[in-house]
Amino acid sequence: AAIHAHIEADQIEKALKLFHDMNQRKIPADSKTYCSLILACIKSDRIDTAKRLAEDIRQKAFAENVLIDQALIDLYVHCGNTLEAKALF
């Protein structure tokens, strides 16, 4: 909830720091958190960070999840990688 509050307040750096702190403490993030962070990173032009989050998602092997897929499609389209985006359909 705190990460989402930071994102809503356009405090992306604080949201990313909190996410990092959660990871350090081995507190798992849910799919909604990943989606919110990826979309916020795209919006704030932090594409490299969004790509790292996408890689983290792949490593965690989230089950098919519409929210995750939509966030990844947005990322891939933003980066001009339409083949990756289409692969998620």
Side-chain angles (χ1 to χ4, degrees):
I3 288 176
H4 301 288
H6 286 306
I7 290 170
E8 289 295 316
D10 265 342
Q11 298 172 341
I12 308 305
E13 285 300 320
K14 287 183 179 181
L16 290 169
K17 182 180 180 334
L18 185 55
F19 176 77
H20 176 74
D21 292 346
M22 285 174 54
N23 281 336
Q24 292 295 319
R25 293 183 178 128
K26 307 285 190 229
I27 300 170
D30 62 9
S31 61
K32 185 177 177 186
T33 300
Y34 274 103
C35 293
S36 295
L37 285 169
I38 287 173
L39 295 174
C41 285
I42 292 169
K43 181 180 172 186
S44 63
D45 210 28
R46 290 176 170 89
I47 303 306
D48 289 338
T49 303
K51 287 179 180 179
R52 284 193 298 275
L53 290 166
E55 183 58 34
D56 198 25
I57 288 169
R58 280 190 212 96
Q59 290 176 2
K60 293 189 184 321
F62 277 95
E64 284 191 27
N65 183 303
V66 175
L67 290 174
I68 292 283
D69 289 349
Q70 185 60 50
L72 292 175
I73 288 168
D74 288 352
L75 172 61
Y76 296 143
V77 168
H78 185 82
C79 294
N81 192 343
T82 55
L83 292 177
E84 282 285 336
K86 285 180 182 178
L88 291 171
F89 282 105

